[in-house]
Amino acid sequence: MRGHAHLIGNYHPGSSIVHRTPLWLKGILLALVAVACFGFPTVGATTAVLAVVVGLHFAAGLPARRIWRAVRMMAPFLVLIAAFQWWQNGPGTAWTVVAAIIATVIASNILTSTTTVAALLDGLSAAVRPLARFGADPERFGLTVQLMLRSIPFVIGAFDDVRDAARARGLERNIRARTLPVVIGTVAYARATGDALAARGLGDPED
Amino acid sequence: MSLIELEAAGASVELADGGHRTILSSTTLALSEQRIAVIGANGSGKSTLLRLLNGLLLPDSGSVRINGLDTRTHGSAVRRSVGFVFTDPLSQLVMPTPVEDIELSLRRLKLPAAQRRAAALAALEGFGLAKVAENSIYELSGGERQLVALAAVLAVDPDVLVLDEPSTLLDLRNTRLLRSTLAALPQQLVISTHDLDFALDCDRALVVDNAAVVFDGAPEDAVAHYRAMAA
């Protein structure tokens, strides 16, 4: 499987102010971006938030292609959403909705691109530590979220691989040939990941 | 050196019709040599035998013990002392970059974050992989991936290293690199392989066929036995 596509970016090493910002503050800023975009859905507010987020992206020293890569993957959905909103509510709403989605995805991208996986795991574990008294396992929670993020590019890559294989066999219009192998491959991937974690003792109770 | 003991250990899988298929018939072994090869055809039961050693698979009957620790009752302790390297490193590497994957292994040691990072980088440095520490695992060559998988397992210093066909996906150059790397390790190694040169490097070899160990002895004799079976 390819597993190369990334809607949510991998860590990009750097020493920018964004990299040095504590994870909790980045989390709050990400939440504020979402609240600003979807809580105050005006053209002016959403455009301003998008501009700030793009500015932060470059302030973090992240390449422009990371924005393009994330937007390109969403492009078919964005076009459909924009067309529908334009038709129903006019161009202003279409822009507001699309810009809000792009702004939140770029903000998420900035968080994951400027934070190491280890720091994310530590942060997530710390965030749910108060729930440990109710039986929650903070380490396992953090690892589960990280594995979920890691699985997204794999599943996207699986769709690409299966599409190519179906094309090679002249089955590009066969829904079954284009979906069933993805399901089987994804289940096999989940099992292999489970085995890999178990072999390293990472799911053991005392961990 | 560690002592691996299988006492009448057998394993089976449940079939869709409710029946059972034996994937390893009752096996009794005591393995104390430093390098042990497991050879046999595809589907013969090699991987089943290996997975029993790390507790990834528990025996339906009998027992498996590593230095006296039963895999059924002391699974966590067994996994701490037995590292497992899979055939496909992409199945094993669960983090986006080599350094993060090794850090994941080290989380079990409860080290402070900075110390964990330094230890992960040192582990990669030891394998000459420092330059790819921050690369995506998808950008690495097959040989680099297999070495990262090995480094991630060795980072927690296991007593025993179990490798399930580690060279199957490697080209000749990377196979040689892996062989020389493994030859320098102090750990006890149990390696399943189709590469008979690999088997000949070992101190003892088992031939597995049709879910049973059918030969156990010197590697030269085991390879001859396997060749005769395949003829």
Side-chain angles (χ1 to χ4, degrees):
Chain A
M1 296 289 177
R2 285 176 188 160
H4 288 254
H6 296 285
L7 179 64
I8 299 176
N10 281 342
Y11 177 65
H12 184 88
S15 57
S16 71
I17 187 166
V18 186
H19 282 83
R20 286 179 278 124
T21 301
L23 178 59
W24 62 267
L25 186 52
K26 288 184 206 174
I28 289 174
L29 289 173
L30 173 59
L32 285 177
V33 166
V35 168
C37 284
F38 295 101
F40 306 95
T42 63
V43 171
T46 314
T47 306
V49 171
L50 179 60
V52 169
V53 167
V54 170
L56 281 173
H57 180 94
F58 291 113
L62 302 173
R65 67 175 179 277
R66 283 205 171 209
I67 295 180
W68 166 237
R69 195 165 59 186
V71 171
R72 189 186 59 192
M73 290 177 63
M74 299 186 293
F77 302 104
L78 293 177
V79 168
L80 285 174
I81 291 166
F84 178 77
Q85 292 293 342
W86 192 311
W87 173 48
Q88 289 290 311
N89 303 306
T93 305
W95 165 250
T96 303
V97 171
V98 168
I101 294 170
I102 293 173
T104 45
V105 167
I106 294 173
S108 309
N109 221 322
I110 293 171
L111 189 144
T112 55
S113 300
T114 59
T115 312
T116 63
V117 172
L120 271 177
L121 280 174
D122 288 338
L124 285 167
S125 300
V128 296
R129 197 152 291 142
L131 299 177
R133 73 185 73 166
F134 303 112
D137 182 338
E139 281 285 315
R140 193 172 291 200
F141 177 81
L143 184 59
T144 303
V145 172
Q146 179 53 38
L147 288 174
M148 185 188 72
L149 292 177
R150 184 240 189 197
S151 303
I152 294 169
F154 175 86
V155 176
I156 293 168
F159 270 107
D160 288 347
D161 284 347
V162 169
R163 183 198 57 212
D164 289 351
R167 260 190 208 147
R169 298 169 66 193
L171 297 171
E172 60 267 41
R173 289 175 188 278
N174 186 322
I175 297 293
R176 198 172 157 193
R178 291 187 60 165
T179 55
L180 198 57
V182 175
V183 174
I184 293 169
T186 304
V187 170
Y189 168 80
R191 291 187 63 146
T193 302
D195 277 353
L197 295 174
R200 290 156 85 168
L202 290 166
D204 289 334
E206 72 270 38
D207 293 327
Chain B
M1 205 46 54
S2 297
L3 176 62
I4 301 168
E5 296 170 288
L6 286 85
E7 198 171 297
S12 62
V13 287
E14 192 173 334
L15 303 175
D17 63 7
H20 287 80
R21 183 167 65 86
T22 300
I23 52 174
L24 188 71
S25 46
S26 180
T27 302
T28 298
L29 289 168
L31 306 171
S32 58
E33 293 76 6
Q34 190 179 2
R35 288 164 216 291
I36 299 141
V38 181
I39 55 178
N42 291 329
S44 59
K46 299 189 302 296
S47 293
T48 301
L49 176 59
L50 264 52
R51 291 165 84 89
L52 285 171
L53 305 184
N54 172 273
L56 265 178
L57 179 68
L58 295 175
D60 296 330
S61 58
S63 63
V64 178
R65 291 189 301 277
I66 311 295
N67 292 327
L69 295 172
D70 193 302
T71 57
R72 188 177 279 114
T73 54
H74 295 86
S76 299
V78 167
R79 280 185 281 281
R80 275 198 293 276
S81 69
V82 181
F84 199 103
V85 177
F86 292 80
T87 305
D88 182 0
L90 277 182
S91 302
Q92 178 161 352
L93 300 172
V94 294
M95 288 292 133
T97 64
V99 68
E100 287 165 337
D101 198 80
I102 295 178
E103 279 192 76
L104 179 68
S105 288
L106 294 167
R107 290 183 82 81
R108 212 168 63 183
L109 304 182
K110 311 279 184 201
L111 299 171
Q115 209 175 324
R116 202 169 55 209
R117 185 86 177 174
L121 289 169
L124 286 169
E125 181 80 52
F127 282 89
L129 293 166
K131 62 183 185 304
V132 297
E134 310 271 8
N135 288 22
S136 163
I137 55 167
Y138 293 108
E139 292 166 5
L140 307 182
S141 70
E144 285 172 333
R145 279 182 201 150
Q146 194 60 280
L147 287 178
V148 171
L150 187 58
V153 171
L154 290 173
V156 289
D157 198 21
D159 300 319
V160 181
L161 191 58
V162 177
L163 303 105
D164 190 2
E165 297 182 25
S167 61
T168 296
L169 301 177
L170 302 184
D171 60 23
L172 185 59
R173 187 161 160 263
N174 282 314
T175 299
R176 284 182 179 153
L177 176 62
L178 182 68
R179 267 175 78 183
S180 62
T181 304
L182 293 178
L185 293 178
Q187 275 87 0
Q188 183 177 24
L189 306 181
V190 183
I191 310 169
S192 80
T193 183
H194 291 296
D195 182 340
L196 299 181
D197 289 335
F198 236 130
L200 290 170
D201 285 345
C202 294
D203 307 307
R204 178 175 172 180
L206 311 174
V207 181
V208 181
D209 186 47
N210 200 19
V213 176
V214 296
F215 185 92
D216 177 5
E220 297 77 10
D221 298 336
V223 168
H225 186 93
Y226 179 49
R227 285 205 166 111
M229 274 171 44

